[in-house]
């Protein structure tokens, strides 16, 4: 069957994956209220189409942190992509390249930076978790920069991994052959007590990430590399102001796809205050619940420069490797192009606050 909505990729992906892997991908933390809120928040934002606008084919191009993109949709960092397809990150990076956009490699990518860089054609970003062992982190940053990554995205919403109940119940662990190949093995295999009430993977990851870092530590990261630095996981005006005061180059409004603080504000509900606080000084990106080209349009109307997509890329990857991810990105492109045409906006910069109205649910 031809897949005509992103949710149809979700349905197509599910039977291809073991139930515990599916739960790991789909799940959120706690009651999954933030996961649900991310999706619902988009539905309250209705488009105000303008007519007789003399639309020629819409221009979806944008330059982000010096990288020219053919569409304002970037692949979000998601860990261990070989869980769903043997090619893993290499397939998704190749699809990003084909679509004229960027791939973001997770700290916990399951293919090497060098393989990802080759597939992405040099257009990729590196998502950083602040590892406890700074010398290991330093070497990792050097390797990513050496492989040509164009910017760093430090994830700041994960001083500790959220309680994802599905994974705890499933005692989720990585299958043989899937691991974080860019993290030095000394870090990954360090002995620690396994708490039987928890999930091995989350314990392992919590064990590796430094929960104690503060704004003051960003100077250290800055000193390691001249690459542009984004913070991912900002949802308040206060932290936006602090980020800009600390010289951050871009903000990613995100609650980690509802996987960290359950009850945290939906990304689209947080976006306006971050955009206002940023006041045009740095680009603002957003992720969490983007499931259509209309959702991309809605995010841009509320002031985002671009969006990231997480789970839909994984569904495409599970469904058909690089071709599946390409199909997901093409669908988003076609839908965004259509909504721009029907809403009377030829360029991304025409998608302003007047393009939507938020209605009560
Ligand atoms: C399976 C999975 C793994 C993820 N791994 C990471 C990660 O390694 N680093 C990170 O910063 N965010 C990670 N995220 C969060 C995504 O980058 C992104 O914020 C989220 O998926 C966006 O929501 P969406 O899935 O609704 O598009 C992960 C998300 C999922 C679903």
């Amino acid at each position: 069957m031809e897949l005509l909505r992103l949710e149809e990729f979700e349905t197509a992906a599910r039977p291809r994956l073991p139930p515990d892997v599916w739960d790991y991908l789909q799940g959120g933390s706690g009651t999954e209220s933030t996961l649900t809120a991310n999706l619902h928040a988009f539905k309250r934002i209705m488009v105000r189409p303008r007519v007789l606008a003399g639309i020629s084919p819409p221009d979806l191009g944008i330059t982000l942190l010096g990288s020219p993109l053919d569409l304002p949709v970037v692949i979000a960092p998601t860990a261990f992509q070989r869980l769903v397809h043997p090619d893993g990150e290499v397939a998704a990076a190749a699809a990003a390249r084909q679509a004229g956009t960027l791939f973001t490699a997770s700290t916990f990518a399951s293919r090497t930076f060098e393989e990802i860089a080759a597939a992405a054609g040099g257009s990729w970003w590196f998502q950083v978790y602040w590892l406890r062992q700074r010398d290991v982190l330093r070497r990792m940053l050097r390797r990513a920069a050496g492989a040509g990554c164009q910017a760093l995205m430090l994830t700041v919403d994960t001083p500790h991994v959220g309680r994802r109940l599905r994974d705890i119940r499933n005692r989720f662990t990585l299958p043989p052959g899937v691991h974080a190949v860019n993290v030095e093995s000394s870090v990954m295999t360090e002995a620690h007590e396994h708490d039987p009430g928890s999930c091995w993977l989350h314990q392992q990851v919590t064990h590796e990430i430094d929960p104690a870092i503060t704004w003051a530590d960003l100077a250290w990261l800055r000193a390691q590399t001249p690459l542009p630095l984004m913070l991912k996981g900002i949802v308040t005006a206060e932290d936006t102001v602090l980020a800009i005061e600390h010289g951050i180059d871009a903000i990613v409004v995100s609650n980690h796809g509802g996987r960290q603080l359950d009850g945290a504000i939906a990304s689209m509900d947080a976006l306006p205050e971050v955009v206002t606080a940023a006041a045009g000084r740095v680009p603002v990106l957003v992720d969490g619940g983007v499931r259509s080209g209309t959702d991309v349009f809605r995010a841009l109307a509320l002031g985002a420069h671009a969006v990231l997509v997480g789970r839909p890329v994984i569904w495409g990857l599970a469904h058909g490797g690089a071709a599946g991810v390409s199909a997901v990105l093409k669908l988003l492109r076609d839908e965004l192009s259509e909504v721009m045409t029907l809403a009377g906006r030829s360029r991304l910069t025409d998608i302003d606050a007047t393009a939507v109205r938020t209605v009560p649910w």
Side-chain angles (χ1 to χ4, degrees), residues 24-27 35 38-39 76-79 106-108 127 129 153 155 157-158 232 254-259 287-291 308-312 314:
Y24 167 69
L25 301 173
Q26 294 292 100
L35 177 67
N38 276 350
L39 297 166
T78 58
S106 164
T107 289
F108 300 122
Q127 175 269 321
Y129 279 126
M153 183 186 289
T155 298
D157 59 14
T158 312
K232 172 173 182 277
S254 174
N255 50 41
H256 218 108
R259 294 161 78 81
D287 76 15
V290 174
R291 299 292 180 265
L308 289 83
V309 279
R311 293 178 184 84
I314 303 294

Side-chain angles (χ1 to χ4, degrees), residues 3 5-14 16-17 22 25-26 39 84 290-291 310-321 324-325 328:
L3 304 179
R5 293 175 57 219
L6 288 192
E7 287 85 352
E8 294 177 0
F9 283 87
E10 181 175 16
T11 309
R14 184 170 191 163
R16 293 177 174 269
L17 299 173
W22 182 251
L25 301 173
Q26 294 292 100
L39 297 166
V84 306
V290 174
R291 299 292 180 265
R311 293 178 184 84
V313 168
I314 303 294
W315 304 331
L317 186 60
H319 175 65
V325 179
V328 162

Side-chain angles (χ1 to χ4, degrees), residues 107-108 129-138 158-161 183 187 190 202-213 220:
T107 289
F108 300 122
Y129 279 126
W130 198 297
L131 300 178
R132 289 176 193 264
Q133 295 185 27
R134 286 214 184 172
D135 49 335
V136 174
L137 178 57
R138 184 188 291 118
T158 312
H160 147 96
V161 177
V183 180
V187 180
E190 207 165 286
H202 291 172
Q203 254 196 292
Q204 177 87 351
V205 168
T206 297
H207 175 80
E208 287 152 21
I209 297 175
D210 188 343
I213 56 163
W220 179 88

Side-chain angles (χ1 to χ4, degrees), residues 17-318:
L17 299 173
D20 62 337
V21 170
W22 182 251
D23 276 344
Y24 167 69
L25 301 173
Q26 294 292 100
S29 53
T31 63
E32 302 191 341
S33 64
T34 296
L35 177 67
T36 308
N38 276 350
L39 297 166
H40 284 174
F42 278 101
K43 307 294 176 242
R44 296 194 306 268
I45 303 163
M46 307 304 283
V47 177
R48 297 181 65 248
R50 298 297 308 277
V51 299
L52 299 176
I55 296 289
S56 36
D59 178 2
L60 275 54
I62 184 179
T63 298
L64 263 186
L65 299 176
S67 298
L69 310 185
D70 292 340
L71 80 164
V73 177
V74 172
I75 296 190
T78 58
F80 307 115
Q81 294 183 3
R82 290 193 68 240
L83 276 173
V84 306
H85 191 279
D87 295 341
E89 288 79 2
V90 163
R97 176 190 199 168
Q98 201 201 4
T101 189
L102 290 153
F103 175 80
T104 313
S106 164
T107 289
F108 300 122
S110 51
R111 299 291 303 261
T112 66
F113 293 146
E114 294 74 15
E115 290 169 324
I116 292 168
S123 290
W124 64 290
W125 290 344
F126 172 41
Q127 175 269 321
V128 181
Y129 279 126
W130 198 297
L131 300 178
R132 289 176 193 264
Q133 295 185 27
R134 286 214 184 172
D135 49 335
V136 174
L137 178 57
R138 184 188 291 118
R139 286 195 288 274
M140 203 171 174
L141 292 166
R142 237 180 247 155
R143 254 192 65 215
C149 94
Q150 292 174 330
L152 301 178
M153 183 186 289
L154 176 67
T155 298
V156 289
D157 59 14
T158 312
H160 147 96
V161 177
R163 260 172 68 80
R164 302 175 196 162
L165 308 189
R166 303 193 204 198
D167 296 343
I168 295 173
R169 287 205 182 90
N170 292 335
R171 304 276 186 272
F172 182 63
T173 188
L174 293 174
V178 178
H179 61 282
V181 294
N182 297 298
V183 180
E184 289 177 21
S185 54
S186 62
V187 180
M188 293 300 281
T189 55
E190 207 165 286
H192 57 277
E193 290 290 306
H194 181 210
D195 166 6
S198 178
C199 132
W200 177 85
L201 177 65
H202 291 172
Q203 254 196 292
Q204 177 87 351
V205 168
T206 297
H207 175 80
E208 287 152 21
I209 297 175
D210 188 343
I213 56 163
T214 69
W215 293 100
D217 292 298
L218 295 178
W220 179 88
L221 187 56
R222 275 286 193 206
Q224 305 307 309
T225 154
L227 289 170
L229 179 60
M230 288 165 264
L231 295 188
K232 172 173 182 277
I234 300 277
V235 290
T236 62
E238 298 90 311
D239 283 339
T240 304
V241 169
L242 279 168
I244 293 171
E245 282 171 9
H246 285 81
I248 291 304
D249 299 293
I251 306 277
V252 183
V253 175
S254 174
N255 50 41
H256 218 108
R259 294 161 78 81
Q260 283 299 108
L261 175 62
D262 186 37
I265 185 168
S267 299
M268 286 299 283
D269 290 330
L271 179 62
E273 73 173 77
V274 172
V275 167
T276 302
R281 290 174 288 176
V282 294
V284 175
L285 286 72
V286 64
D287 76 15
V290 174
R291 299 292 180 265
S292 68
T294 309
D295 288 347
V296 180
F297 184 95
R298 290 164 163 142
L300 267 51
L302 294 198
H305 291 73
V307 305
L308 289 83
V309 279
R311 293 178 184 84
V313 168
I314 303 294
W315 304 331
L317 186 60

